[in-house]
Amino acid sequence: MQQWQRQKKSSPKGRLKVTFFGEAGVDTGALSKEFLTEMIAEIETRLFIAGVDKKGKNPVYCLNSLDRNYFRSAGEIMAVSLAQGGPPPFFLREWCFQYLCSGDYDSIQVTTSDVTDLEFSLLIEKVNSTDDMSELTDEILSCGYTGKLSADMKSNIIRAIVLHSSMRVVPMLNQLRKGLQLYDLQKVMEMHPDLCLPLFVPREKDDRVDAGFILENCHPVFSDKGSVKYTKEVNVMNFFQDFLQEVEDRGMYYHNSTTYLLE
């Protein structure tokens, strides 16, 4: 990141040309793509942190990186990568992307799943698992909560922790937005958020309708345990599961209620 800042003598909007020390050759595009690929990977690893659900990352709360304008440089590199054939930075949580588009925190919806900082994740677990908040008083108050510390206020306490966890990384996102202003990318994101979303937010898992999908969405209502009907119903579900697995193993899959045989 420091090298990027030092070498940026002219506008970063110019065509990126890369020379690796100890390697001969003229950059015709391949070296630039290699450089951008490595930079995007390093940005993801060093400046962002993932949650348990693996649905994207939040900025790391690091005032040193903020003070050194690393997040702004990261935004510039992301913009250059998208404009000049590098990889997209699709590792952000959706709420971070929405904030980058609008700059309006009030319109952003964050939940407990958006808390990626281990300290606050553990604090939420502690609050959920106890009715005695006395041992957690200092930690809760440090998150900006000023209400009553009692079991019946758990939802409010957890909400305060979630907001504190996300609000404290807003300065990092603001700096990132400044970097994304290259090529007017930030304006494009604001005007076309749906089109830009796949470039910044991880794609959902394969939504193909397979055996696992069907079984996960089956919610059978069985008869009373121990009854003859219950035994028959369980056997039917077991046979159904075996059938679906056999069909899948034979190279077939399901889509829109139609079965296709793969060649």
Side-chain angles (χ1 to χ4, degrees):
M1 201 69 70
Q2 291 175 344
Q3 183 180 359
W4 173 269
Q5 293 171 345
R6 287 197 304 268
Q7 296 293 327
K8 198 181 60 176
K9 297 177 181 178
S10 59
S11 171
K13 289 185 179 181
R15 182 66 187 177
L16 180 65
K17 293 184 179 181
V18 175
T19 301
F20 288 107
F21 291 114
E23 294 186 19
V26 178
D27 184 9
T28 59
L31 294 180
S32 299
K33 291 182 180 179
E34 181 181 351
F35 169 78
L36 290 170
T37 299
E38 292 180 1
M39 287 297 294
I40 293 296
E42 285 297 308
I43 287 171
E44 177 183 358
T45 301
R46 296 179 182 274
L47 296 182
F48 292 85
I49 182 171
V52 178
D53 59 8
K54 306 299 182 182
K55 292 184 178 180
K57 299 183 176 183
N58 290 330
V60 172
Y61 180 70
C62 179
L63 295 180
N64 288 336
S65 296
L66 186 71
D67 185 51
R68 295 172 181 173
N69 281 315
Y70 284 174
F71 286 96
R72 180 166 185 166
S73 295
E76 292 174 351
I77 294 169
M78 290 177 181
V80 170
S81 185
L82 289 171
Q84 300 192 26
F90 49 81
F91 52 77
L92 298 180
R93 293 200 74 85
E94 187 167 349
W95 82 266
C96 293
F97 168 76
Q98 297 296 344
Y99 182 80
L100 292 176
C101 291
S102 66
D104 180 13
Y105 184 83
D106 292 338
S107 63
I108 304 302
Q109 298 295 322
V110 289
T111 65
T112 54
S113 63
D114 291 312
V115 178
T116 57
D117 188 290
L118 181 60
E119 175 187 354
F120 297 117
S121 296
L122 291 176
L123 179 56
I124 290 174
E125 290 182 9
K126 291 177 184 177
V127 171
N128 269 323
S129 61
T130 184
D131 289 335
D132 181 12
M133 305 293 171
S134 59
E135 295 183 357
L136 305 175
T137 299
D138 291 340
E139 294 178 81
I140 293 173
L141 294 181
S142 67
C143 292
Y145 178 77
T146 57
K148 181 181 177 183
L149 290 172
S150 60
D152 59 335
M153 300 297 288
K154 275 187 181 182
S155 60
N156 291 346
I157 294 172
I158 291 174
R159 185 60 182 167
I161 298 170
V162 171
L163 291 176
H164 176 71
S165 175
S166 56
M167 280 294 294
R168 72 177 194 159
V169 299
V170 165
M172 290 73 180
L173 292 173
N174 283 332
Q175 202 174 88
L176 197 64
R177 289 185 86 230
K178 292 179 180 178
L180 289 169
Q181 290 174 359
L182 282 181
Y183 308 103
D184 291 327
L185 177 58
Q186 196 279 317
K187 291 182 180 179
V188 175
M189 294 168 63
E190 184 177 357
M191 295 174 60
H192 306 285
D194 293 339
L195 294 177
C196 295
L197 180 68
L199 300 175
F200 291 87
V201 179
R203 297 178 181 87
E204 294 291 335
K205 292 182 179 180
D206 184 7
D207 58 358
R208 189 181 69 181
V209 181
D210 56 10
F213 178 88
I214 294 174
L215 291 170
E216 287 176 6
N217 287 276
C218 282
H219 303 286
V221 178
F222 295 113
S223 300
D224 294 335
K225 281 189 176 182
S227 65
V228 175
K229 284 187 177 181
Y230 174 80
T231 302
K232 291 182 178 180
E233 290 163 356
V234 170
N235 287 336
V236 168
M237 284 302 301
N238 288 335
F239 285 129
F240 183 52
Q241 180 176 352
D242 292 341
F243 167 74
L244 291 177
Q245 194 61 57
E246 180 183 352
V247 170
E248 185 173 297
D249 292 342
R250 286 164 53 191
M252 304 174 73
Y253 71 97
Y254 306 86
H255 183 67
N256 292 335
S257 300
T258 306
T259 305
Y260 298 90
L261 179 63
L262 296 179
E263 295 294 331

